[in-house]
Amino acid sequence: MVDYHAANNQSSAGGAQTYMEQENDWDRDLLLDPAWEKQQRKTFTAWCNSHLRKAGTQIENIEEDFRDGLKLMLLLEVISGERLPKPERGKMRVHKINNVNKALDFIASKGVKLVSIGAEEIVDGNAKMTLGMIWTIILRFAIQDISVEETSAKEGLLLWCQRKTAPYKNVNVQNFHISWKDGLAFNALIHRHRPDLIDYDSLRKDDPVTNLNNAFEVAEKHLDIPKMLDAEDIVNTARPDEKAIMTYVSSFYHAFSGAQKAETAANRICKVLAVNQENEQMMEDYEKLASDLLEWIRRTIPWLENRTQEKTVNDMQAKQEDFRDYRCVHKPPKVQEKCQLEISFNTLQTKLRLSNRPAFMPSEGRMVSDINGAWHTLEGAEKGYEEWILSEIRRLERLEHLAEKFHQKAAIHESWTDGKETMLTQKDYETSTLSEVKALLRKHEAFESDLAAHQDRVEQIAAIAQELNELDYYDSASVNTRCQKICDQWDVLGALTQSRKESLERTEKQLESIDELYLEYAKRAAPFNNWMEGAMEDLQDMFIVHNIEEIQGLITAHEQFKSTLSEANKEREAIQSIQAEVQKIAQSNGIKLSGANPYTTITPESIDNKWEKAMAMVPLRDNALQEELNRQNSNDTLRAKFATQANTVGAYIQDKMEEIGRISIEMNGTLEDQLTSLKEYQKNIMSYMPEINKLESFHQLIQEALIFDNQYTSYTMEHLRVGWEQLLTTIARTINEVENQILTRDAKGISQEQLYEYRASFNHFDKDHSGALMAEEFKACLISLGYDVENDKQKRSGQMVSDDFRALLISTGNSLGDGEFSRIMGIVDPNGSGAVTFQAFIDFMSTETTDTDTADQVIASFKILAADKNYITAEELRRELPPDQAEYCIARMAPYTGHDAVPGALDYMSFSTALYGESDL
């Protein structure tokens, strides 16, 4: 068996092959019931004989008469008009197989895919294979070339039948089997083209046999279409054979093909109207999408510009979370909408140019530039809002730290001042002995020393309060009240201290006894006690750091403090030794001490207690600093993770941006191949989205940890987001450019080779790979293609210069005429930017070198439908056009007002002119 499937793979008839692959399903359907097989035998036999009779012969038995291959080869020569190789006249089986193979080879050369059909089966009289082969021949030579409105053959034939029978009652052609059982469809086809042959109104739907026989007899007698079907077989079969019906109906199509002038005109009008309807829908879609996007931007910008301050860090972090949700959830779909809006606008303008329609001007405020401007304002508001949130978080964090520090220091100071006013106002010295007065004076001197030591703390409290006021702390009123109370009390204490000192000094002259040891103890104990209080205060001091260097600085300071503890302990022991010496002297001299040291309230026990407390705080401070060091190390790890991922993503985006720039210049293959490659490239880029999401997750952890700097990378999340969006937009625009080139090629009939030539020439002169040519580069590009604008008359007639003149232009460096070149620049660069894009270049070349539908052509088509009248009626439109397009015309055509007008006349000339703008006429 010969494998024609492999042979057919070498065929260049791609369109025909695809269609035949779709339609060639006989090997499944030929598992027929007897009724279908009978219908096919009769129909295919009649169809073959309708052609063989031109060669003076016929067949009787379809599977027997083709076995030797002679009549099969003759049939193919008749229907194709071509000569086949000379047949072999021998009677042996091998001669028959060779003849059939020659026929099958010829069929395969026409782009037909013969699956599982071999010469041996035909020679052996295999009915199934023979019927399948004949059906394949019918498809290729009788049906394949039937196309209505760019549909496939079968669909085109069905659409032709539907249009021709649409005005007839009781006829509804939906298929090629049961829609034809009552015979009315056959009669309607004949009546539509030859109303003189059929009295359609006399036919009854309930008499199918009469209807079928009437159509078959009229077709055979008057149209030279042989009878290929039996009325009784069709009526008595639940579902007539589709192939038999199609074969017979195709004969009607070919019989009436000479009367297609009006239908061709109608098709042209339908095509033009369909383009206009599609363009109007695209305009409506653009306007709605632009309005929705602008409305979203209008609603969003005030939210981003709101600078209402919050009172706490948690409240601001909630705003930050809302902003992150906006960036990651709400904005990305709008980015896609913006990109799609631009693509839709470019595609619409391309379609309008290709169909000679006026350019689309969106309503005021909805231009692409307006969208871009609003988007730029939105992104500016985003940047400002994010910076404000981070600044506010820093400010509130600082405020909370200062407020807590203020209240801590204020509480310590208030605890120290408790009872001091009472002590300073008492008159105990008035009834004291000399030694007691001296003791009181020394005690007061120690108090003054203590008071002076506390001056620094009061100043710190006031400074913190001032900073809280400057940073606009929300509870500044209570801070100021407390600070003022402390300052007022401090002034009172100062005055009372001075007053008491003066009183004691007046009394001191009268008192001479003093215990030097108590005095020395008091003098040394007071500053040491104050040092311990300061140390404990420092050990409890709140701290806030933002990096490892800052926490390491605190740890270093703490280590330095610990290194002084040995000397401090020696001072404590020395102070305690003074008290021990007092006890020793008293015991040695039998002195009875009156009680506590008269010069100070600081007892050895209190010094030891505070020392123990201070020593207990040291390891706590160690732990707190170590925990903060661990946190900063963790933050540094987060920085490094983010930086590693950011550097990877940044490099990827940069590489891809450069790569898509090269791809857009170096693309090879057909435009469809380029489009497929670009979409696959886009898919590959989109597969990188998990890496972007991974980076976003790192960025979220960075923000949650309140990390505000990163020394490991120069990339920020904002820069990478913008770069990613720009990459997606660039690849989408590149895909759209290729799609528009396909639209241009298909609409203008430009060959793939011409597109290659245009692209190669454009890229040659695009030295900086910017995707656009400057005026002089464009002029040189036109000359390289042999475009002669010096010869204005020749140019406007659409002619290209000869090869000799092209060579002359190039060799002499001939410049284009200024007037003509200015006209061309006005076409390709209407905005006067000085640069010509590749799409504008292609549009110009295709417009100058190809023919397109014009208003004149549409008017001529309407004139055909109107039977040369200057107007057309609604009835004629509904008869000749599909319902939706007929109503489209009727709704938009103005009444015809000429002298030859009749009631209901419509002006198709002004309607056609309006489709293309006034420039065509």
Side-chain angles (χ1 to χ4, degrees):
M1 181 185 300
V2 177
D3 185 4
Y4 288 94
H5 181 275
N8 192 52
N9 286 337
Q10 307 301 320
S11 172
S12 62
Q17 177 177 337
T18 301
Y19 170 70
M20 298 306 292
E21 288 174 351
Q22 295 173 347
E23 295 292 330
N24 191 15
D25 54 358
W26 63 271
D27 53 330
R28 295 184 297 274
D29 288 347
L30 275 177
L31 299 174
L32 306 172
D33 62 32
W36 284 11
E37 185 173 355
K38 178 182 178 181
Q39 291 175 13
Q40 285 192 12
R41 285 176 180 274
K42 178 175 179 61
T43 302
F44 292 179
T45 299
W47 184 86
C48 291
N49 286 334
S50 70
H51 294 284
L52 287 173
R53 68 184 181 183
K54 299 173 185 177
T57 186
Q58 65 177 17
I59 61 171
E60 299 294 334
N61 188 309
I62 197 165
E63 67 261 34
E64 288 295 327
D65 293 350
F66 286 137
R67 290 180 62 182
D68 59 6
L70 296 176
K71 289 188 176 181
L72 179 59
M73 294 178 68
L74 183 60
L75 174 65
L76 290 172
E77 288 187 343
V78 171
I79 61 178
S80 68
E82 298 179 28
R83 295 290 296 178
L84 271 68
K86 185 177 180 180
E88 299 182 12
R89 295 297 178 176
K91 301 297 185 179
M92 297 176 65
R93 176 179 174 83
V94 66
H95 298 142
K96 297 178 180 180
I97 291 176
N98 289 339
N99 287 338
V100 174
N101 270 331
K102 291 177 182 179
L104 296 180
D105 286 339
F106 178 81
I107 296 172
S109 71
K110 298 302 180 181
V112 179
K113 186 176 181 179
L114 296 169
V115 180
S116 301
I117 297 179
E120 290 84 356
E121 287 85 357
I122 306 302
V123 172
D124 293 338
N126 186 312
K128 172 183 175 182
M129 294 298 178
T130 303
L131 290 174
M133 178 189 66
I134 298 302
W135 171 241
T136 302
I137 293 172
I138 294 171
L139 275 178
R140 172 59 184 85
F141 295 98
I143 299 177
Q144 175 184 308
D145 293 331
I146 298 174
S147 178
V148 179
E149 291 189 357
E150 301 179 356
T151 60
S152 68
K154 179 180 177 180
E155 294 169 340
L157 183 59
L158 185 62
L159 181 59
W160 178 80
C161 295
Q162 291 171 338
R163 285 189 174 181
K164 294 303 181 182
T165 60
Y168 294 88
K169 63 181 180 180
N170 295 329
V171 176
N172 183 19
V173 177
Q174 297 297 324
N175 49 56
F176 286 108
H177 37 81
I178 60 175
S179 295
W180 304 83
K181 285 191 65 172
D182 59 12
L184 292 178
F186 289 110
N187 285 276
L189 277 180
I190 298 173
H191 184 268
R192 179 63 183 271
H193 295 90
R194 292 290 302 277
D196 57 309
L197 300 179
I198 298 287
D199 182 7
Y200 184 84
D201 294 333
S202 66
L203 302 176
R204 293 187 298 110
K205 186 175 181 63
D206 59 356
D207 190 5
V209 173
T210 300
N211 297 340
L212 289 166
N213 284 328
N214 180 68
F216 297 164
E217 291 168 5
V218 169
E220 188 171 42
K221 181 177 180 181
H222 298 283
L223 303 177
D224 198 27
I225 298 175
K227 184 177 181 182
M228 301 182 186
L229 303 169
D230 283 328
E232 289 76 14
D233 292 341
I234 294 176
V235 172
N236 295 330
T237 302
R239 185 177 184 273
D241 178 67
E242 187 178 56
K243 297 175 180 60
I245 299 292
M246 281 183 66
T247 300
Y248 188 52
V249 171
S250 69
S251 298
F252 284 87
Y253 178 91
H254 291 294
F256 297 132
S257 60
Q260 294 300 308
K261 184 178 180 181
E263 182 161 349
T264 300
N267 286 342
R268 178 185 292 273
I269 293 171
C270 289
K271 178 181 176 181
V272 171
L273 296 178
V275 169
N276 220 54
Q277 290 171 307
E278 182 180 357
N279 290 343
E280 288 180 358
Q281 185 61 49
M282 290 185 69
M283 293 175 190
E284 293 176 6
D285 293 343
Y286 173 89
E287 290 282 346
K288 183 178 186 306
L289 185 57
S291 297
D292 292 345
L293 185 57
L294 285 171
E295 176 61 18
W296 177 81
I297 294 174
R298 185 192 65 78
R299 293 196 314 268
T300 304
I301 288 178
W303 175 69
L304 294 171
E305 293 177 342
N306 182 14
R307 297 295 186 269
T308 303
Q309 294 181 335
E310 300 295 342
K311 294 181 178 180
T312 67
V313 173
N314 288 338
D315 292 339
M316 283 307 299
Q317 286 176 333
K319 280 193 172 184
Q320 186 181 46
E321 189 62 32
D322 291 341
F323 182 70
R324 184 181 295 115
D325 186 66
Y326 156 78
R327 290 299 298 267
C328 298
V329 177
H330 299 291
K331 186 184 176 186
K334 299 303 178 182
V335 173
Q336 296 298 323
E337 288 181 13
K338 176 177 174 294
C339 180
Q340 183 59 47
L341 191 70
E342 184 176 344
I343 290 173
S344 298
F345 181 84
N346 292 337
T347 301
L348 175 59
Q349 298 293 36
T350 299
K351 292 171 72 68
L352 290 171
R353 287 196 304 272
L354 296 177
S355 56
N356 290 333
R357 290 343 187 247
F360 168 56
M361 286 296 295
S363 56
E364 185 176 358
R366 293 181 176 84
M367 290 288 291
V368 171
S369 58
D370 297 324
I371 304 295
N372 289 335
W375 192 264
H376 180 73
T377 302
L378 174 74
E379 291 184 329
E382 284 179 9
K383 186 175 184 299
Y385 189 68
E386 186 172 34
E387 292 173 351
W388 174 74
I389 286 177
L390 294 177
S391 174
E392 278 297 288
I393 289 176
R394 292 192 188 100
R395 184 181 70 84
L396 291 173
E397 184 183 38
R398 174 68 176 163
L399 282 175
E400 289 184 1
H401 171 70
L402 287 175
E404 191 170 352
K405 192 170 185 177
F406 171 83
H407 289 300
Q408 182 188 51
K409 287 185 176 292
I412 293 173
H413 178 77
E414 288 165 348
S415 175
W416 179 83
T417 60
D418 185 41
K420 294 296 188 292
E421 287 187 28
T422 302
M423 181 195 74
L424 292 171
T425 56
Q426 64 184 348
K427 305 294 183 179
D428 53 337
Y429 55 86
E430 293 179 348
T431 58
S432 300
T433 63
L434 177 61
S435 61
E436 289 173 341
V437 170
K438 285 183 176 290
L440 288 175
L441 183 57
R442 301 301 180 267
K443 180 180 180 180
H444 188 73
E445 289 175 353
F447 174 77
E448 282 184 316
S449 177
D450 199 9
L451 185 69
H454 278 79
Q455 176 68 33
D456 183 62
R457 181 181 291 115
V458 173
E459 291 175 354
Q460 290 178 7
I461 290 172
I464 294 173
Q466 178 63 27
E467 189 171 0
L468 287 171
N469 277 281
E470 290 174 353
L471 293 176
D472 196 24
Y473 181 54
Y474 79 96
D475 199 20
S476 293
S478 65
V479 170
N480 292 337
T481 300
R482 190 172 187 181
C483 181
Q484 188 61 47
K485 182 179 178 182
I486 289 172
C487 292
D488 292 343
Q489 185 187 38
W490 186 253
D491 292 338
V492 171
L493 287 176
L496 291 175
T497 300
Q498 183 63 30
S499 176
R500 182 171 176 82
K501 181 180 180 181
E502 292 172 355
S503 298
L504 289 172
E505 286 177 344
R506 285 193 304 266
T507 307
E508 184 187 23
K509 296 177 181 180
Q510 304 169 7
L511 303 175
E512 296 175 347
S513 182
I514 185 170
D515 189 336
E516 292 296 334
L517 290 174
Y518 273 143
L519 182 58
E520 182 182 0
Y521 175 91
K523 287 183 177 180
R524 295 181 69 173
F528 184 73
N529 184 70
N530 189 63
W531 175 85
M532 287 194 298
E533 288 182 349
M536 288 191 291
E537 183 177 340
D538 289 340
L539 289 170
Q540 298 179 80
D541 188 28
M542 304 293 293
F543 58 83
I544 179 171
V545 295
H546 295 95
N547 53 55
I548 293 177
E549 289 74 16
E550 292 179 4
I551 188 61
Q552 287 177 340
L554 291 179
I555 291 174
T556 300
H558 183 60
E559 292 300 323
Q560 291 174 351
F561 164 76
K562 289 196 295 183
S563 68
T564 66
L565 292 180
S566 177
E567 290 297 323
N569 190 44
K570 290 179 181 180
E571 176 66 12
R572 181 184 66 83
E573 291 173 348
I575 292 172
Q576 296 293 48
S577 68
I578 294 173
Q579 181 65 24
E581 185 65 21
V582 170
Q583 296 294 337
K584 181 180 179 181
I585 294 173
Q587 291 174 2
S588 300
N589 297 285
I591 298 173
K592 185 177 180 181
L593 299 176
S594 61
N597 190 324
Y599 304 117
T600 181
T601 59
I602 301 172
T603 66
E605 291 78 12
S606 68
I607 290 176
D608 287 341
N609 289 337
K610 287 184 179 179
W611 179 260
E612 291 174 1
K613 289 181 180 178
M615 293 304 98
M617 291 178 182
V618 171
L620 296 178
R621 183 72 168 183
D622 287 334
N623 292 336
L625 291 173
Q626 187 59 44
E627 288 176 359
E628 181 60 26
L629 178 61
N630 294 338
R631 188 174 78 87
Q632 289 302 326
N633 283 327
S634 175
N635 287 354
D636 213 48
T637 301
L638 283 178
R639 289 186 182 96
K641 285 184 178 180
F642 175 84
T644 299
Q645 183 69 6
N647 291 336
T648 300
V649 171
Y652 175 85
I653 292 175
Q654 181 65 29
D655 290 344
K656 293 304 178 184
M657 286 296 293
E658 294 174 358
E659 189 173 311
I660 190 61
R662 292 194 302 272
I663 289 174
S664 63
I665 295 174
E666 301 171 359
M667 289 188 293
N668 297 316
T670 66
L671 290 178
E672 285 76 9
D673 292 340
Q674 295 174 20
L675 185 60
T676 300
S677 177
L678 283 171
K679 288 185 175 180
E680 184 63 29
Y681 185 79
Q682 183 185 47
K683 181 179 178 182
N684 290 337
I685 288 179
M686 292 304 298
S687 69
Y688 195 72
M689 193 64 193
E691 296 301 316
I692 303 298
N693 294 334
K694 180 179 178 182
L695 185 63
E696 286 283 3
S697 67
F698 286 157
H699 180 61
Q700 181 174 351
L701 294 175
I702 287 282
Q703 290 194 326
E704 290 173 352
L706 299 179
I707 299 172
F708 304 111
D709 58 351
N710 194 334
Q711 69 272 30
Y712 299 123
T713 181
S714 61
Y715 291 109
T716 66
M717 194 66 232
E718 178 65 25
H719 293 157
L720 292 174
R721 288 185 187 122
V722 171
W724 178 250
E725 292 172 2
Q726 183 180 1
L727 176 61
L728 296 182
T729 301
T730 300
I731 183 61
R733 286 173 177 168
T734 305
I735 289 173
N736 181 242
E737 179 183 342
V738 176
E739 290 174 337
N740 286 342
Q741 290 179 33
I742 292 174
L743 283 174
T744 302
R745 181 198 66 191
D746 294 344
K748 299 296 186 179
I750 300 175
S751 69
Q752 191 70 44
E753 290 73 17
Q754 285 178 299
L755 281 177
Y756 283 151
E757 182 181 6
Y758 295 159
R759 169 57 81 180
S761 184
F762 187 91
N763 288 344
H764 175 76
F765 290 99
D766 184 14
K767 304 296 185 182
D768 58 357
H769 306 300
S770 64
L773 300 180
M774 295 299 101
E776 290 302 318
E777 293 174 334
F778 176 59
K779 183 185 296 185
C781 183
L782 286 179
I783 292 175
S784 73
L785 291 171
Y787 193 86
D788 179 17
V789 297
E790 296 284 356
N791 188 343
D792 195 352
K793 180 177 179 181
Q794 182 191 51
K795 167 66 197 70
R796 294 184 183 277
S797 67
Q799 300 174 3
M800 300 297 288
V801 299
S802 67
D803 291 340
D804 292 338
F805 187 64
R806 175 188 301 188
L808 179 61
L809 281 175
I810 297 174
S811 64
T812 60
N814 195 352
S815 62
L816 300 176
D818 291 339
E820 177 63 10
F821 185 66
S822 297
R823 181 190 75 82
I824 295 174
M825 286 300 293
I827 296 173
V828 298
D829 182 25
N831 297 324
S833 66
V836 181
T837 65
F838 182 69
Q839 186 60 49
F841 172 64
I842 286 295
D843 289 343
F844 172 74
M845 294 304 296
S846 61
T847 301
E848 295 294 307
T849 58
T850 60
D851 184 27
T852 59
D853 289 330
T854 64
D856 290 336
Q857 291 173 325
V858 175
I859 290 173
S861 297
F862 273 116
K863 196 173 187 70
I864 292 173
L865 300 185
D868 288 333
K869 300 190 299 295
N870 292 325
Y871 59 84
I872 193 168
T873 66
E875 180 182 356
E876 289 171 328
L877 287 170
R878 291 190 176 102
R879 183 180 70 240
E880 299 295 341
L881 299 180
D884 60 332
Q885 295 185 331
E887 298 304 323
Y888 178 84
C889 293
I890 293 169
R892 287 165 173 75
M893 283 185 180
Y896 177 71
T897 57
H899 68 280
D900 54 341
V902 300
L906 299 174
D907 185 354
Y908 62 77
M909 293 186 181
S910 60
F911 171 75
S912 301
T913 302
L915 290 177
Y916 293 87
E918 295 298 330
S919 61
D920 279 281
L921 292 181

